[in-house]
Amino acid sequence: MSDFFDAQETRDPAAREAALMAALPGQVAHAQSACTAYTELLAGVVPADVNSRAALAQLPLTRKSSLAAAQAARRALRLGGFAAAAPRRIFQSPGPLYEPEPDTDGADPWRVARALHAAGIRAGQLAHVGFSYHLTPAGAMMEAGLRAIGAASFPGGVGNTELQLQALLDLQPEAYAGTPSLLRILLEKAAEGGHAVSLRRALVSGEACPPPLVAWFAERGVDVRQCYATADLGLIAYQTPAREGLVVDEGVIVEIVRPGTGDPLPDGEVGEVVVTTLSPGYPLIRFATGDLSAVMPGPSPCGRTNQRLRGWLGRADQSAKVRGMFVHAGQVAELIRRHPGVTRARLVIEGEMANDRLTLHAEAPAGSEEALTTTLRDITKLRAEVVLAAAGSLANDGKLIDDRRAI
C-alpha cells in the first residue's frame, strides 16, 4: 500500500506553485465567462494578469454572505449566478444557503479521497459513514471519496444510534467517516453492551476533535485523523500520519489574510482562511471561509510537500456592539493599514453593557498614542484609550476584537 495518494503530494514545492499559478488565469477567465456573478465581480480584470499570489490578492473576496444574498436576490439564476454549469445535485446549509455538487462528471467531486487515503482507508474496506445524508452534502462527500478509492460505504447518517450500532456489529467495518461525537457514542454504546468493534481507522470532521479525544479513540483501537472541508469548497486540508498540522489539498489555492480585509499575512501569522478552487463547475475565487488558521513553516515530516495549516483556530468574523455602535474586525484592520508602523493591534472591550471601556492595544512606535486615538475615533466614532505594546507581545491568534464584558 502506498503511503501517498498520488505523485502530486510529493512534488517539488516550486513546481506545485508554478502549476497552480499557471492554472489560475484559466480559472479566472472561466469564472468570468461562465458565472454571471463573477462577470460582474471581476469586471475589468484581465485573466492573463492573474498569474501570481500577489495578483490574486488584488481580486475581491467572495463571502458566504455574498452567496446567500445573490441566491435570494437572483432566484432566476442558478445559485445566484455563481455556478458555471447545471449541477447534478444541490444541497442546503443553514441560512439557507444552497451548494452544488462541484463538478458534473468527476468521480470525487469534493476531492475527499485524498484525505480518506491519508487516514489509512483503502480499496476493499468498508467504512461506516456518520455524516448527514439529509439536505447537507457531508454524507455524499464522504461516499464519493470512498467510491473513488474503491472502498464500500454504509450510509449510517446521524441519529438512530441503536440501528447504527447494530449495523456496526453486523457488518464489521474497518473504517469510519463522520463526526467524532457520533463515533464516540457508538463506541461507548458498544462497550456498555460488552461488544467488541472492528473499527481501526477513522476520518472525522465537522466538529472539534482535540488531542484528549484523539487519545481516547486510540485507547479503544481506533486511529483517528481529521480533515478540514466545507460544503462550498470541498476538501481544503487534511491530517496525515505525522499529525503535525493539516496538509493543504492539491486542488485549491489557500491564502491567510488579515481578518476584515483581503490582505495576505506572512506565514505563521494567524488570519482568515481564503480559498480559490480549481473546480470548473463551481469556480469560487478568493472565497473567505470565516475560519482562522495559520501556515506552518516547512513541509510535513510524512513526506507531503504542500503547505500546512495549524488547523481551526477560531472565527474571523469578529464584531461587537459598543455604546449603540457596531465595531468589527475590518475597522481595526483599517487602522493597521493607515499606520504602517503598527504590526498587531486588538480592541479590548471591558466593563458591562452600557458602561463599556475600550482599549486599543497596539504594537506600535513610541509616541503614536495620539495619532492612533484620532484614527480609531475617525473609523469607529468611539473614544478609546490606546496602550502601546512591545513588538511580538500581543498574541498571534488573529483576534482583532476581544469582548471581555460581563453578560
Side-chain angles (χ1 to χ4, degrees):
M1 293 189 299
S2 171
D3 288 337
F4 305 110
F5 182 70
D6 57 27
Q8 291 189 66
E9 295 183 351
T10 56
R11 283 185 289 178
D12 176 75
R16 176 185 292 106
E17 185 71 3
L20 290 173
M21 294 305 108
L24 185 56
Q27 183 71 332
V28 172
H30 172 60
Q32 281 182 319
S33 62
C35 305
T36 304
Y38 279 118
T39 302
E40 299 171 1
L41 284 171
L42 302 181
V45 172
V46 179
D49 292 343
V50 188
N51 57 6
S52 67
R53 288 182 180 266
L56 178 62
Q58 300 305 307
L59 302 184
L61 297 181
T62 299
R63 295 193 174 276
K64 278 185 181 287
S65 57
S66 301
L67 298 182
Q71 290 177 11
R74 298 176 165 186
R75 289 191 171 90
L77 296 176
R78 185 78 71 189
L79 299 174
F82 281 93
R88 287 185 299 194
R89 290 187 289 183
I90 295 176
F91 299 91
Q92 184 190 78
S93 293
L97 179 65
Y98 298 95
E99 299 104 354
E101 188 169 315
D103 296 305
T104 56
D105 56 1
D108 181 22
W110 291 277
R111 309 176 313 282
V112 177
R114 189 178 303 282
L116 292 162
H117 186 276
I121 302 172
R122 296 292 185 269
Q125 295 180 347
L126 172 64
H128 186 115
V129 179
F131 277 122
S132 175
Y133 281 78
H134 177 60
L135 295 178
T136 64
M141 291 168 72
M142 289 295 161
E143 188 167 292
L146 288 164
R147 188 179 300 115
I149 62 176
S153 60
F154 173 75
V158 296
N160 300 307
T161 53
E162 295 299 333
L163 290 176
Q164 294 213 46
L165 177 59
Q166 186 63 53
L168 191 67
L169 299 176
D170 289 343
L171 297 174
Q172 294 290 296
E174 296 91 344
Y176 170 89
T179 62
S181 60
L182 179 58
L183 177 59
R184 179 164 189 163
I185 289 170
L186 291 174
L187 293 178
E188 288 175 337
K189 285 187 173 294
E192 289 171 6
H195 304 296
V197 297
S198 54
L199 296 178
R200 292 295 175 263
R201 54 195 60 85
L203 179 68
V204 301
S205 191
E207 299 169 351
C209 189
L213 183 54
V214 173
W216 187 91
F217 288 130
E219 290 168 1
R220 287 149 183 83
V222 185
D223 183 12
V224 169
R225 310 275 167 80
Q226 303 177 57
C227 75
Y228 173 29
T230 72
D232 323 273
L233 300 161
L235 182 67
I236 299 172
Y238 59 99
Q239 196 172 43
T240 75
R243 297 188 183 280
E244 294 190 15
L246 303 179
V247 175
V248 170
D249 178 53
E250 299 292 328
V252 295
I253 300 170
V254 171
E255 304 169 83
I256 301 294
V257 307
R258 191 183 300 281
T261 77
D263 302 334
L265 289 169
D267 288 358
E269 288 291 312
V270 175
E272 184 174 10
V273 179
V274 169
V275 181
T276 296
T277 74
L278 299 179
S279 164
Y282 201 40
L284 295 176
I285 308 293
R286 300 203 82 204
F287 185 79
T289 65
D291 296 323
L292 292 175
S293 193
V295 173
M296 298 175 65
S300 170
C302 72
R304 292 169 178 82
T305 57
N306 208 347
Q307 280 177 305
R308 289 183 297 159
L309 302 180
R310 281 178 53 190
W312 187 81
L313 301 177
R315 292 292 296 171
D317 44 1
Q318 308 155 30
S319 63
K321 194 170 187 178
V322 181
R323 302 171 202 162
M325 304 283 289
F326 278 102
V327 293
H328 52 82
Q331 292 172 314
V332 181
E334 173 62 15
L335 178 139
I336 296 172
R337 188 190 67 79
R338 293 189 192 183
H339 295 269
V342 177
T343 52
R344 287 185 190 144
R346 68 177 58 202
L347 189 62
V348 176
I349 310 167
E350 297 173 293
E352 299 177 355
M353 295 293 183
N355 188 24
D356 310 300
R357 298 192 307 277
L358 271 70
T359 307
L360 179 73
H361 296 262
E363 296 178 10
S368 58
E369 293 95 333
E370 184 176 349
L372 292 173
T373 299
T374 300
T375 299
L376 185 64
R377 187 169 62 246
D378 177 53
I379 294 172
T380 67
K381 312 306 178 188
L382 296 167
R383 293 183 178 274
E385 179 185 1
V386 172
V387 175
L388 301 186
S393 62
L394 294 182
N396 178 23
D397 57 8
K399 186 176 290 187
L400 299 182
I401 302 288
D402 187 1
D403 193 346
R404 302 177 184 176
R405 291 174 293 188
I407 302 211

